[in-house]
Each structure stands twice: as structure tokens, then as C-alpha cells.
Amino acid sequence: CEAGEKSEMTSKTYLSLFPSDLATYGRDAKALLKELQSQNERMFLVTFLVLNTGRTEQELENNVFQASSIAQKHNCNLFRLDFQQEQGLMSSLPLADCQIEIQRGLTTSSTAIFIPFTTQELYQSGKESLYYGLNALSNNLIMVDRKKLKNPNGLILGTPGSGKSFSAKREIANAFLVTDDDIIINDPEGEYSPLVNRLKGQVIKISPNSTQFVNPMDINANYSEEDNPLSLKADFILSLCELVVGGKEGLLPVEKTVIDRCVHLIYRKYFANPCPENMPILEDLYNALLQQDEKEAHHVATALEIYVKGSLNLFNHRTNVNVNNRIVCYDIKELGKQMKKLGMLIVQDQVWGRVTANRSSGKSTRYYMDEMHLLLKEEQTAAYSVEIWKRFRKWGGIPTGLTQNVKDLLSSREVENIFENSDMIIMLNQAAGDRQILAKQLNISPHQLSYVTHSGEGEGLLFFGNVILPFVDRFPTDLELYRIMTTKLGEVSEGAQK
Ligand SMILES: Nc1ncnc2c1ncn2[C@@H]1O[C@H](COP(=O)(O)OP(=O)(O)OP(=O)(O)O)[C@@H](O)[C@H]1O
Ligand SMILES: [Mg+2]
């Protein structure tokens, strides 16, 4: 210990003997080393040349004088390259040949000051990066992978005809070819079928005259995180009954109790022997309700009757389509207003079933909701959508909502969560009122706003994590892919004739 103290003393004495300049340089060098080691800085050797020209010698002298006085104003001295002017000229030309050996070491951030033409880029080189257009400032490709975001939830916003559905279809086609993810589409306008059919996917037409059915009672063993998938399913069936029976106040407590009791009864057979023939249907619920003593149970059963025995019985069948195809599109265009609500709720439940099944096999599921304002208008489906935005990430779900009006997304505190929890937003042309709302909510500068003001189809701003980039995506109109993705009336009928 004593020896240690002694050597410290000696080094202190030596330090005091050093010239003070040396100590200062030493400190600077240490600071520089620290920057290089810990702050991701690099060291560049920089030659900085200013080329002066003039038509006459006098003009040249004047220009040189002016340049050096500007430099002086900023505390710099320009030195004339006496006897090296030819090399100086050659080095100033864009020949990538520096013949002047006057160099200075600068760190990355100091060097960057001399390159004022920087643009932000979005290019992720991973295996699952998808193309989202060209950077409007630099024309470089924008390639990103949503799975690398904190949460992969996405929104596509824009006025009618700005290219929302087109961007979604583009991402779908891309994801289909590049990734292994499953894709599900909620299609209230019936416009995705040409694309899905071309990719050999399954279009499920849900309408009163369709012969394709999905069973709202479908369940799989992974349906819930907890041990008992049935309690979550009972929750869904309660929402469904609420839509069917509920007046303004929703279901009465007694009604809820009897429905829950019946749900547990009707799944008994299936869980004892889980084969498709044992999957219950709505009629089983109806019959079980009739067998209960409470008059409330009969009330619910009567309300369900039209969906079981009456003209709206399209949900009273076992699923007869391949809902496990890699790409599934639920076309609900032909459902009437009343049935649409029910249809949308059932589709969302089907999606949940698929996402949970996929998670156990380690697969991601992309879910596209076109015309999302329809979902947000109804209490039950809005609540379900909010839930999707909160929980899908953990289940490997990648939801994308498409809507025209930002106002729909800000209608309530709950729905606003969807907006706030979307790390990717493709913002296409915006209406004046929406622009102001967005500028405030997302902190967009007036310059950036100009990219979503009267912009063309497929042009706008891309928000990806904390990066905002203007992008342009002009899809060639002579490709087959364009013909199956367009919604322009003339082009669609032309495509159909071919
Ligand atoms: N990136 C693009 N490149 C070329 N054409 C495009 C692009 N995006 C959109 N279009 C054209 O614009 C048309 C309308 O686009 P789209 O159907 O996506 O509109 P939308 O925003 O979904 O409208 P709506 O709200 O009415 O559903 C497309 O049919 C296509 O012809
Ligand atoms: Mg659309």
C-alpha cells in the first residue's frame, strides 16, 4: 500500500513538470478518443478547398479578397495555394482525386457540416423489408419491415380516391411474395377479390344469397391466453347477442347470465370430442335457451329466431370454406345495414381465432380493415378494434386500418388510442380540416404538410417510428398487377372483359 502511494506522488510531480500546452493537447486527445469510442463518431481526414474564378486578373483578385473577408468574419483564415494552384483546381473538380496534402482530422459530426445536402432515408435491408415507394426528396427506395417497429400497427389515411386501398393491396401483394405471413382482409366494398383470387387465396362472400358460410361459434384450443378458451368465446357471444337483442341499455343482467350458462352447455359435446361435426351452431344456442326456465332466456331466444329459422339465417351453418388459406378475404359488401354490423363482428372474431392459432405455430398474421370508419361507428366492433390495437402485437398480429376521415379516429378517448398506438402511418392526400388536426396531433411542419395537400394518387407522407418522409409511388399502369388492383370504373370493366 505504501509503495502505491509513493508512485502516485511521483507521477503527480512529473505531470506538473509538463508544459501546460501538452496537458491541454492531452485532454483534447482524450476527449476525441472518447467520442470515437463511445459516441459512434468516425475520424475523417478532410481537405477543404475554395475555388475562386474571375474573367480578368482584377476580377479574380476581387473575388479572392471577398472570399477571404467572408471567411475572416467567421474567424477563419483562407490560405492561398501558392505554387499548387493547378493541383488545387484538379482537386476541386468532381474527379474524386485529391492532390492537395493539407489535411485535417475531423469527427463525423464536424465533417457533416460541410455537406449541407443531407436527406433522411428509410432503408432496412432485412429479409422481410417491403417496398413503400420512392423518397420524394432523394428518389431512393423506401424499404422497411413493420415487424421491426415497437408496435407494427398501421393506418392508411386519405381522401376518397387518394390511393388508400391501392397502397394496402400493394403491401398485400408484396408481403405475400416476400414473407411467410398469413393475410386476412375485411372488405366492405368487395374490391379485393381479383387480387386475392389471382394469388389463389380464398374469398368468402358473406351475403344472404351466398352459399359460403362461416360459423360464429367456431373455436380453437388456443383461442384464449388463459386455460379456458370458452370464457372469451362466451364474451364474444354476449356481444353478438347484444347486437341482436339489446336495445339502448344492452343486455339485462339476467339475460347475460342465461346466455353464459347456455354457452357452457352447448360446447360440452365439442370439448369431449373436438371434431368439426361437433362444433355447435347458433341453433344449438337457441334450443338451449328455450330449455331454460327463465322468461328472459325465452326473450333472447325469440330475438335470435330470425337468425336461426328466419330469413337471416346465414350465420346458422357450419363453416364450409377454407378459412385457413394463406390469404383470406371476407367480402361483406352485400350484407344489408343490420346484418353488416353482425357480419363485421363475426369477421373480427374469425380473425382473432386465426391469429391465436397462428401464434402457437409462430406465424405472423396481417389483418387489413378497409373502410375502418364502419367498424368504429358501432360500439361493439369499435371496442374490438381498440382491443386489436392494444393486444395484437403480442400475438404476432399486424393490423392495418384504412379510413378517409381522421375525425372518425378521434371520436372518443378509446378510439383515439388506435391513432396514438400506430407506429406506421401512410398519409395520402388530406382534406383541409383533417390536415389541421393531423398537423397538431403528429407535429407536422407546414413544409411537410405540403406533401399531403392536393397531392396525386399514391403520394404523401410516410410515418415510420419517429421518421417522417415524403414519398411517391407511381405504379406502372400497364401491368397485370395494376389491372387487378385498380378501382377506377373504366379500368375495372376493361379488366373484366379481358
Ligand atoms: N400508387 C399508385 N400508382 C398508380 N395509380 C394509383 C396509385 N394509387 C392509386 N392509384 C389509382 O387511384 C385509384 C383509386 O385508388 P384507391 O382505390 O386506392 O382509392 P381509395 O383511397 O381507396 O378510395 P376510397 O376511399 O373511395 O376507397 C386506383 O384505382 C388507381 O387507379
Ligand atoms: Mg378504398
Short mmCIF file of all heavy atoms in Angstrom, two decimals, residues 52-110:
data_model
loop_
_atom_site.label_atom_id
_atom_site.label_comp_id
_atom_site.label_asym_id
_atom_site.label_seq_id
_atom_site.Cartn_x
_atom_site.Cartn_y
_atom_site.Cartn_z
N ASN A 52 -11.85 29.99 -56.46
CA ASN A 52 -12.26 31.32 -56.92
C ASN A 52 -12.01 31.45 -58.41
O ASN A 52 -10.96 31.00 -58.90
CB ASN A 52 -11.46 32.40 -56.19
CG ASN A 52 -11.90 32.55 -54.75
OD1 ASN A 52 -12.99 33.00 -54.48
ND2 ASN A 52 -11.06 32.10 -53.82
N THR A 53 -12.95 32.06 -59.10
CA THR A 53 -12.74 32.26 -60.54
C THR A 53 -12.97 33.73 -60.87
O THR A 53 -13.59 34.46 -60.09
CB THR A 53 -13.73 31.43 -61.38
OG1 THR A 53 -15.04 31.75 -60.93
CG2 THR A 53 -13.48 29.95 -61.23
N GLY A 54 -12.46 34.17 -62.00
CA GLY A 54 -12.69 35.55 -62.45
C GLY A 54 -12.34 35.65 -63.93
O GLY A 54 -11.45 34.92 -64.39
N ARG A 55 -13.03 36.52 -64.65
CA ARG A 55 -12.76 36.61 -66.09
C ARG A 55 -11.44 37.36 -66.35
O ARG A 55 -10.73 37.10 -67.29
CB ARG A 55 -13.91 37.28 -66.80
CG ARG A 55 -14.82 36.25 -67.47
CD ARG A 55 -15.99 36.92 -68.07
NE ARG A 55 -16.66 37.68 -66.99
CZ ARG A 55 -17.95 37.72 -66.82
NH1 ARG A 55 -18.74 37.13 -67.67
NH2 ARG A 55 -18.49 38.40 -65.83
N THR A 56 -11.12 38.32 -65.46
CA THR A 56 -9.85 39.03 -65.61
C THR A 56 -9.08 38.86 -64.32
O THR A 56 -9.64 38.44 -63.31
CB THR A 56 -10.09 40.54 -65.84
OG1 THR A 56 -10.78 41.02 -64.69
CG2 THR A 56 -10.90 40.81 -67.08
N GLU A 57 -7.80 39.24 -64.35
CA GLU A 57 -6.99 39.07 -63.15
C GLU A 57 -7.54 39.95 -62.03
O GLU A 57 -7.59 39.55 -60.87
CB GLU A 57 -5.54 39.45 -63.46
CG GLU A 57 -4.62 38.83 -62.45
CD GLU A 57 -3.16 38.99 -62.85
OE1 GLU A 57 -2.89 39.23 -64.04
OE2 GLU A 57 -2.31 38.87 -61.95
N GLN A 58 -7.99 41.14 -62.44
CA GLN A 58 -8.51 42.08 -61.44
C GLN A 58 -9.76 41.50 -60.76
O GLN A 58 -9.90 41.51 -59.55
CB GLN A 58 -8.85 43.41 -62.15
CG GLN A 58 -9.27 44.52 -61.20
CD GLN A 58 -8.19 44.77 -60.14
OE1 GLN A 58 -7.00 44.83 -60.45
NE2 GLN A 58 -8.61 44.90 -58.88
N GLU A 59 -10.66 40.95 -61.60
CA GLU A 59 -11.89 40.37 -61.06
C GLU A 59 -11.57 39.21 -60.11
O GLU A 59 -12.17 39.07 -59.05
CB GLU A 59 -12.76 39.87 -62.22
CG GLU A 59 -14.18 39.53 -61.80
CD GLU A 59 -14.99 38.98 -62.98
OE1 GLU A 59 -14.87 39.47 -64.10
OE2 GLU A 59 -15.77 38.04 -62.73
N LEU A 60 -10.57 38.43 -60.51
CA LEU A 60 -10.16 37.30 -59.68
C LEU A 60 -9.65 37.80 -58.33
O LEU A 60 -10.06 37.28 -57.28
CB LEU A 60 -9.09 36.49 -60.40
CG LEU A 60 -8.59 35.26 -59.65
CD1 LEU A 60 -9.71 34.27 -59.42
CD2 LEU A 60 -7.47 34.57 -60.43
N GLU A 61 -8.80 38.83 -58.38
CA GLU A 61 -8.27 39.39 -57.13
C GLU A 61 -9.42 39.83 -56.22
O GLU A 61 -9.42 39.58 -55.02
CB GLU A 61 -7.35 40.60 -57.42
CG GLU A 61 -5.94 40.23 -57.88
CD GLU A 61 -5.21 39.37 -56.87
OE1 GLU A 61 -5.42 39.54 -55.65
OE2 GLU A 61 -4.44 38.47 -57.30
N ASN A 62 -10.39 40.52 -56.83
CA ASN A 62 -11.54 40.99 -56.05
C ASN A 62 -12.29 39.83 -55.39
O ASN A 62 -12.65 39.88 -54.22
CB ASN A 62 -12.52 41.76 -56.94
CG ASN A 62 -11.94 43.09 -57.37
OD1 ASN A 62 -10.91 43.51 -56.81
ND2 ASN A 62 -12.55 43.74 -58.34
N ASN A 63 -12.50 38.78 -56.19
CA ASN A 63 -13.25 37.63 -55.67
C ASN A 63 -12.49 36.96 -54.52
O ASN A 63 -13.10 36.56 -53.53
CB ASN A 63 -13.52 36.61 -56.78
CG ASN A 63 -14.54 37.13 -57.76
OD1 ASN A 63 -15.19 38.16 -57.50
ND2 ASN A 63 -14.66 36.47 -58.91
N VAL A 64 -11.17 36.83 -54.70
CA VAL A 64 -10.35 36.22 -53.65
C VAL A 64 -10.47 37.06 -52.38
O VAL A 64 -10.65 36.53 -51.27
CB VAL A 64 -8.88 36.12 -54.09
CG1 VAL A 64 -8.00 35.72 -52.92
CG2 VAL A 64 -8.74 35.12 -55.22
N PHE A 65 -10.40 38.35 -52.58
CA PHE A 65 -10.47 39.25 -51.43
C PHE A 65 -11.82 39.10 -50.71
O PHE A 65 -11.89 39.00 -49.48
CB PHE A 65 -10.27 40.69 -51.91
CG PHE A 65 -10.23 41.68 -50.79
CD1 PHE A 65 -9.13 41.76 -49.94
CD2 PHE A 65 -11.32 42.53 -50.55
CE1 PHE A 65 -9.10 42.66 -48.91
CE2 PHE A 65 -11.30 43.42 -49.51
CZ PHE A 65 -10.18 43.49 -48.68
N GLN A 66 -12.87 39.06 -51.53
CA GLN A 66 -14.21 38.92 -50.94
C GLN A 66 -14.35 37.61 -50.16
O GLN A 66 -14.85 37.59 -49.04
CB GLN A 66 -15.25 38.92 -52.05
CG GLN A 66 -15.95 40.26 -52.17
CD GLN A 66 -17.01 40.20 -53.24
OE1 GLN A 66 -17.44 39.14 -53.66
NE2 GLN A 66 -17.43 41.38 -53.68
N ALA A 67 -13.86 36.55 -50.78
CA ALA A 67 -13.98 35.23 -50.12
C ALA A 67 -13.24 35.23 -48.80
O ALA A 67 -13.75 34.75 -47.78
CB ALA A 67 -13.45 34.14 -51.04
N SER A 68 -12.03 35.81 -48.79
CA SER A 68 -11.28 35.73 -47.53
C SER A 68 -11.88 36.66 -46.48
O SER A 68 -11.80 36.36 -45.29
CB SER A 68 -9.79 35.99 -47.73
OG SER A 68 -9.62 37.22 -48.34
N SER A 69 -12.51 37.75 -46.92
CA SER A 69 -13.13 38.58 -45.87
C SER A 69 -14.38 37.91 -45.28
O SER A 69 -14.67 38.05 -44.10
CB SER A 69 -13.43 40.00 -46.37
OG SER A 69 -14.29 39.94 -47.45
N ILE A 70 -15.10 37.15 -46.11
CA ILE A 70 -16.25 36.39 -45.56
C ILE A 70 -15.73 35.38 -44.54
O ILE A 70 -16.27 35.24 -43.44
CB ILE A 70 -17.02 35.66 -46.69
CG1 ILE A 70 -17.73 36.68 -47.58
CG2 ILE A 70 -18.04 34.69 -46.10
CD1 ILE A 70 -18.37 36.09 -48.81
N ALA A 71 -14.64 34.68 -44.91
CA ALA A 71 -14.08 33.67 -44.00
C ALA A 71 -13.62 34.33 -42.71
O ALA A 71 -13.86 33.81 -41.61
CB ALA A 71 -12.93 32.95 -44.67
N GLN A 72 -13.01 35.48 -42.85
CA GLN A 72 -12.49 36.18 -41.67
C GLN A 72 -13.61 36.56 -40.70
O GLN A 72 -13.45 36.49 -39.49
CB GLN A 72 -11.75 37.43 -42.10
CG GLN A 72 -10.31 37.43 -41.62
CD GLN A 72 -9.47 38.37 -42.42
OE1 GLN A 72 -9.98 39.40 -42.90
NE2 GLN A 72 -8.20 38.06 -42.59
N LYS A 73 -14.73 36.96 -41.31
CA LYS A 73 -15.87 37.35 -40.48
C LYS A 73 -16.26 36.20 -39.55
O LYS A 73 -16.79 36.40 -38.47
CB LYS A 73 -17.05 37.71 -41.39
CG LYS A 73 -17.84 38.88 -40.85
CD LYS A 73 -18.76 39.50 -41.87
CE LYS A 73 -19.84 38.55 -42.30
NZ LYS A 73 -20.59 39.04 -43.47
N HIS A 74 -16.01 34.98 -39.99
CA HIS A 74 -16.36 33.81 -39.18
C HIS A 74 -15.13 33.21 -38.51
O HIS A 74 -15.09 32.00 -38.24
CB HIS A 74 -17.04 32.76 -40.06
CG HIS A 74 -18.34 33.25 -40.62
ND1 HIS A 74 -19.49 33.31 -39.88
CD2 HIS A 74 -18.65 33.75 -41.83
CE1 HIS A 74 -20.46 33.81 -40.62
NE2 HIS A 74 -19.98 34.09 -41.80
N ASN A 75 -14.13 34.06 -38.29
CA ASN A 75 -12.94 33.63 -37.56
C ASN A 75 -12.12 32.55 -38.25
O ASN A 75 -11.55 31.68 -37.61
CB ASN A 75 -13.31 33.11 -36.17
CG ASN A 75 -13.39 34.24 -35.20
OD1 ASN A 75 -12.84 35.32 -35.47
ND2 ASN A 75 -14.06 34.03 -34.08
N CYS A 76 -12.12 32.55 -39.58
CA CYS A 76 -11.29 31.58 -40.30
C CYS A 76 -10.34 32.31 -41.23
O CYS A 76 -10.65 33.42 -41.69
CB CYS A 76 -12.15 30.65 -41.15
SG CYS A 76 -13.29 29.69 -40.18
N ASN A 77 -9.23 31.67 -41.52
CA ASN A 77 -8.30 32.25 -42.48
C ASN A 77 -8.21 31.36 -43.71
O ASN A 77 -8.06 30.16 -43.59
CB ASN A 77 -6.90 32.33 -41.86
CG ASN A 77 -6.74 33.61 -41.08
OD1 ASN A 77 -7.38 34.62 -41.40
ND2 ASN A 77 -5.90 33.58 -40.06
N LEU A 78 -8.31 31.97 -44.88
CA LEU A 78 -8.11 31.20 -46.11
C LEU A 78 -6.67 31.43 -46.56
O LEU A 78 -6.22 32.57 -46.62
CB LEU A 78 -9.06 31.67 -47.20
CG LEU A 78 -10.54 31.36 -47.05
CD1 LEU A 78 -11.31 31.85 -48.27
CD2 LEU A 78 -10.76 29.85 -46.88
N PHE A 79 -5.97 30.34 -46.86
CA PHE A 79 -4.60 30.49 -47.37
C PHE A 79 -4.58 30.24 -48.87
O PHE A 79 -5.24 29.31 -49.33
CB PHE A 79 -3.66 29.50 -46.67
CG PHE A 79 -3.35 29.91 -45.26
CD1 PHE A 79 -4.01 29.34 -44.20
CD2 PHE A 79 -2.39 30.91 -45.03
CE1 PHE A 79 -3.74 29.74 -42.91
CE2 PHE A 79 -2.12 31.30 -43.74
CZ PHE A 79 -2.78 30.73 -42.66
N ARG A 80 -3.81 31.08 -49.55
CA ARG A 80 -3.71 30.89 -50.99
C ARG A 80 -2.79 29.71 -51.29
O ARG A 80 -1.76 29.54 -50.63
CB ARG A 80 -3.09 32.16 -51.59
CG ARG A 80 -3.46 32.37 -53.02
CD ARG A 80 -2.76 33.58 -53.53
NE ARG A 80 -3.42 34.81 -53.07
CZ ARG A 80 -3.74 35.78 -53.93
NH1 ARG A 80 -3.48 35.67 -55.20
NH2 ARG A 80 -4.30 36.87 -53.49
N LEU A 81 -3.18 28.89 -52.25
CA LEU A 81 -2.37 27.70 -52.56
C LEU A 81 -1.24 28.06 -53.52
O LEU A 81 -1.21 27.61 -54.66
CB LEU A 81 -3.26 26.63 -53.20
CG LEU A 81 -4.01 25.67 -52.29
CD1 LEU A 81 -4.81 24.69 -53.11
CD2 LEU A 81 -3.04 24.91 -51.39
N ASP A 82 -0.32 28.91 -53.05
CA ASP A 82 0.77 29.32 -53.93
C ASP A 82 1.57 28.12 -54.42
O ASP A 82 1.82 27.19 -53.64
CB ASP A 82 1.70 30.29 -53.19
CG ASP A 82 1.05 31.66 -53.07
OD1 ASP A 82 0.20 31.96 -53.94
OD2 ASP A 82 1.33 32.37 -52.09
N PHE A 83 1.92 28.11 -55.68
CA PHE A 83 2.70 27.05 -56.35
C PHE A 83 1.95 25.71 -56.44
O PHE A 83 2.50 24.73 -56.88
CB PHE A 83 4.06 26.81 -55.66
CG PHE A 83 4.85 28.08 -55.50
CD1 PHE A 83 5.04 28.65 -54.28
CD2 PHE A 83 5.34 28.72 -56.65
CE1 PHE A 83 5.74 29.84 -54.15
CE2 PHE A 83 6.04 29.92 -56.51
CZ PHE A 83 6.25 30.49 -55.26
N GLN A 84 0.73 25.68 -55.98
CA GLN A 84 -0.02 24.40 -56.08
C GLN A 84 -1.38 24.64 -56.71
O GLN A 84 -2.30 23.87 -56.49
CB GLN A 84 -0.26 23.81 -54.69
CG GLN A 84 0.96 23.30 -54.00
CD GLN A 84 0.58 22.54 -52.74
OE1 GLN A 84 -0.03 21.51 -52.82
NE2 GLN A 84 0.90 23.10 -51.60
N GLN A 85 -1.46 25.74 -57.46
CA GLN A 85 -2.81 26.10 -57.91
C GLN A 85 -3.38 25.10 -58.91
O GLN A 85 -4.59 24.86 -58.93
CB GLN A 85 -2.78 27.51 -58.48
CG GLN A 85 -2.40 28.47 -57.36
CD GLN A 85 -2.81 29.87 -57.62
OE1 GLN A 85 -2.83 30.29 -58.76
NE2 GLN A 85 -3.10 30.62 -56.58
N GLU A 86 -2.54 24.52 -59.71
CA GLU A 86 -3.04 23.55 -60.68
C GLU A 86 -3.61 22.32 -59.94
O GLU A 86 -4.71 21.87 -60.24
CB GLU A 86 -1.91 23.13 -61.61
CG GLU A 86 -2.43 22.35 -62.79
CD GLU A 86 -1.32 21.94 -63.71
OE1 GLU A 86 -0.32 22.67 -63.80
OE2 GLU A 86 -1.46 20.87 -64.33
N GLN A 87 -2.84 21.86 -58.95
CA GLN A 87 -3.33 20.71 -58.17
C GLN A 87 -4.63 21.08 -57.45
O GLN A 87 -5.55 20.27 -57.33
CB GLN A 87 -2.30 20.27 -57.12
CG GLN A 87 -1.11 19.54 -57.68
CD GLN A 87 0.03 20.50 -58.03
OE1 GLN A 87 -0.22 21.67 -58.36
NE2 GLN A 87 1.25 20.01 -57.97
N GLY A 88 -4.67 22.34 -56.99
CA GLY A 88 -5.87 22.82 -56.29
C GLY A 88 -7.09 22.76 -57.20
O GLY A 88 -8.16 22.27 -56.82
N LEU A 89 -6.91 23.22 -58.46
CA LEU A 89 -8.02 23.20 -59.41
C LEU A 89 -8.46 21.77 -59.68
O LEU A 89 -9.65 21.45 -59.65
CB LEU A 89 -7.58 23.87 -60.73
CG LEU A 89 -8.58 23.76 -61.86
CD1 LEU A 89 -9.85 24.55 -61.55
CD2 LEU A 89 -7.99 24.24 -63.17
N MET A 90 -7.47 20.88 -59.93
CA MET A 90 -7.81 19.48 -60.21
C MET A 90 -8.58 18.86 -59.04
O MET A 90 -9.52 18.09 -59.23
CB MET A 90 -6.53 18.66 -60.46
CG MET A 90 -5.79 19.05 -61.71
SD MET A 90 -6.85 19.10 -63.14
CE MET A 90 -6.99 17.36 -63.47
N SER A 91 -8.17 19.21 -57.82
CA SER A 91 -8.83 18.62 -56.65
C SER A 91 -10.25 19.16 -56.46
O SER A 91 -11.10 18.48 -55.90
CB SER A 91 -8.02 18.89 -55.38
OG SER A 91 -6.68 18.57 -55.60
N SER A 92 -10.50 20.39 -56.94
CA SER A 92 -11.84 20.97 -56.77
C SER A 92 -12.84 20.38 -57.76
O SER A 92 -14.04 20.45 -57.55
CB SER A 92 -11.82 22.48 -56.98
OG SER A 92 -10.80 23.05 -56.25
N LEU A 93 -12.32 19.84 -58.87
CA LEU A 93 -13.25 19.29 -59.88
C LEU A 93 -13.79 17.94 -59.40
O LEU A 93 -13.12 17.25 -58.63
CB LEU A 93 -12.51 19.10 -61.20
CG LEU A 93 -11.96 20.39 -61.82
CD1 LEU A 93 -11.16 20.08 -63.08
CD2 LEU A 93 -13.10 21.34 -62.15
N PRO A 94 -14.98 17.59 -59.83
CA PRO A 94 -15.55 16.32 -59.33
C PRO A 94 -14.89 15.10 -59.98
O PRO A 94 -15.52 14.35 -60.70
CB PRO A 94 -17.03 16.43 -59.71
CG PRO A 94 -17.07 17.40 -60.84
CD PRO A 94 -15.90 18.32 -60.70
N LEU A 95 -13.59 14.95 -59.74
CA LEU A 95 -12.86 13.82 -60.32
C LEU A 95 -12.48 12.79 -59.27
O LEU A 95 -11.84 11.79 -59.57
CB LEU A 95 -11.56 14.32 -61.00
CG LEU A 95 -11.74 15.35 -62.11
CD1 LEU A 95 -10.40 15.86 -62.58
CD2 LEU A 95 -12.48 14.71 -63.28
N ALA A 96 -12.87 13.07 -58.05
CA ALA A 96 -12.54 12.18 -56.92
C ALA A 96 -11.04 11.96 -56.82
O ALA A 96 -10.57 10.86 -56.61
CB ALA A 96 -13.28 10.85 -57.06
N ASP A 97 -10.25 13.01 -57.05
CA ASP A 97 -8.79 12.89 -56.98
C ASP A 97 -8.26 14.08 -56.21
O ASP A 97 -8.16 15.18 -56.74
CB ASP A 97 -8.23 12.86 -58.42
CG ASP A 97 -6.72 12.79 -58.40
OD1 ASP A 97 -6.17 12.37 -57.36
OD2 ASP A 97 -6.09 13.16 -59.42
N CYS A 98 -7.89 13.86 -54.96
CA CYS A 98 -7.41 14.98 -54.16
C CYS A 98 -5.89 15.02 -54.21
O CYS A 98 -5.21 14.11 -53.73
CB CYS A 98 -7.90 14.82 -52.72
SG CYS A 98 -7.41 16.21 -51.70
N GLN A 99 -5.36 16.07 -54.82
CA GLN A 99 -3.91 16.15 -54.99
C GLN A 99 -3.25 17.06 -53.96
O GLN A 99 -2.05 17.29 -53.99
CB GLN A 99 -3.58 16.65 -56.40
CG GLN A 99 -4.19 15.77 -57.47
CD GLN A 99 -3.87 16.25 -58.87
OE1 GLN A 99 -3.16 17.25 -59.04
NE2 GLN A 99 -4.37 15.56 -59.86
N ILE A 100 -4.03 17.62 -53.08
CA ILE A 100 -3.51 18.53 -52.06
C ILE A 100 -3.34 17.77 -50.76
O ILE A 100 -4.28 17.09 -50.32
CB ILE A 100 -4.49 19.70 -51.84
CG1 ILE A 100 -4.72 20.45 -53.14
CG2 ILE A 100 -4.02 20.63 -50.73
CD1 ILE A 100 -3.50 21.19 -53.64
N GLU A 101 -2.17 17.88 -50.17
CA GLU A 101 -1.96 17.05 -48.98
C GLU A 101 -2.14 17.82 -47.68
O GLU A 101 -1.57 17.46 -46.66
CB GLU A 101 -0.59 16.40 -49.07
CG GLU A 101 -0.63 15.26 -50.06
CD GLU A 101 0.70 14.59 -50.24
OE1 GLU A 101 1.62 14.92 -49.48
OE2 GLU A 101 0.80 13.76 -51.16
N ILE A 102 -2.90 18.89 -47.74
CA ILE A 102 -3.16 19.60 -46.49
C ILE A 102 -4.44 19.01 -45.91
O ILE A 102 -5.52 19.19 -46.47
CB ILE A 102 -3.36 21.10 -46.74
CG1 ILE A 102 -2.17 21.64 -47.54
CG2 ILE A 102 -3.54 21.85 -45.43
CD1 ILE A 102 -2.36 23.05 -48.03
N GLN A 103 -4.32 18.27 -44.84
CA GLN A 103 -5.49 17.58 -44.32
C GLN A 103 -5.68 17.87 -42.84
O GLN A 103 -4.73 18.19 -42.15
CB GLN A 103 -5.31 16.07 -44.49
CG GLN A 103 -5.34 15.65 -45.93
CD GLN A 103 -5.04 14.16 -46.07
OE1 GLN A 103 -4.24 13.63 -45.31
NE2 GLN A 103 -5.68 13.55 -47.04
N ARG A 104 -6.91 17.74 -42.44
CA ARG A 104 -7.19 17.92 -41.02
C ARG A 104 -8.09 16.81 -40.55
O ARG A 104 -9.02 16.42 -41.26
CB ARG A 104 -7.92 19.25 -40.86
CG ARG A 104 -7.34 20.04 -39.75
CD ARG A 104 -8.17 21.20 -39.45
NE ARG A 104 -8.47 21.05 -38.04
CZ ARG A 104 -8.96 22.00 -37.32
NH1 ARG A 104 -9.25 23.15 -37.85
NH2 ARG A 104 -9.19 21.81 -36.05
N GLY A 105 -7.85 16.31 -39.37
CA GLY A 105 -8.70 15.25 -38.84
C GLY A 105 -9.97 15.85 -38.23
O GLY A 105 -9.90 16.74 -37.41
N LEU A 106 -11.12 15.36 -38.68
CA LEU A 106 -12.40 15.84 -38.12
C LEU A 106 -13.29 14.65 -37.79
O LEU A 106 -13.23 13.62 -38.47
CB LEU A 106 -13.13 16.73 -39.13
CG LEU A 106 -12.51 18.08 -39.49
CD1 LEU A 106 -13.40 18.78 -40.51
CD2 LEU A 106 -12.36 18.96 -38.26
N THR A 107 -14.13 14.83 -36.80
CA THR A 107 -15.07 13.75 -36.47
C THR A 107 -16.28 13.80 -37.40
O THR A 107 -16.47 14.79 -38.11
CB THR A 107 -15.56 13.88 -35.03
OG1 THR A 107 -16.12 15.17 -34.90
CG2 THR A 107 -14.46 13.68 -34.03
N THR A 108 -17.11 12.77 -37.36
CA THR A 108 -18.26 12.69 -38.28
C THR A 108 -19.12 13.95 -38.20
O THR A 108 -19.45 14.54 -39.23
CB THR A 108 -19.14 11.48 -37.92
OG1 THR A 108 -18.30 10.35 -37.83
CG2 THR A 108 -20.19 11.24 -38.97
N SER A 109 -19.48 14.36 -36.98
CA SER A 109 -20.42 15.48 -36.90
C SER A 109 -19.78 16.77 -37.40
O SER A 109 -20.46 17.62 -37.99
CB SER A 109 -20.97 15.63 -35.49
OG SER A 109 -19.97 15.44 -34.55
N SER A 110 -18.47 16.94 -37.21
CA SER A 110 -17.82 18.15 -37.74
C SER A 110 -17.75 18.09 -39.26
O SER A 110 -17.96 19.08 -39.95
CB SER A 110 -16.41 18.30 -37.19
OG SER A 110 -16.40 18.06 -35.83
#
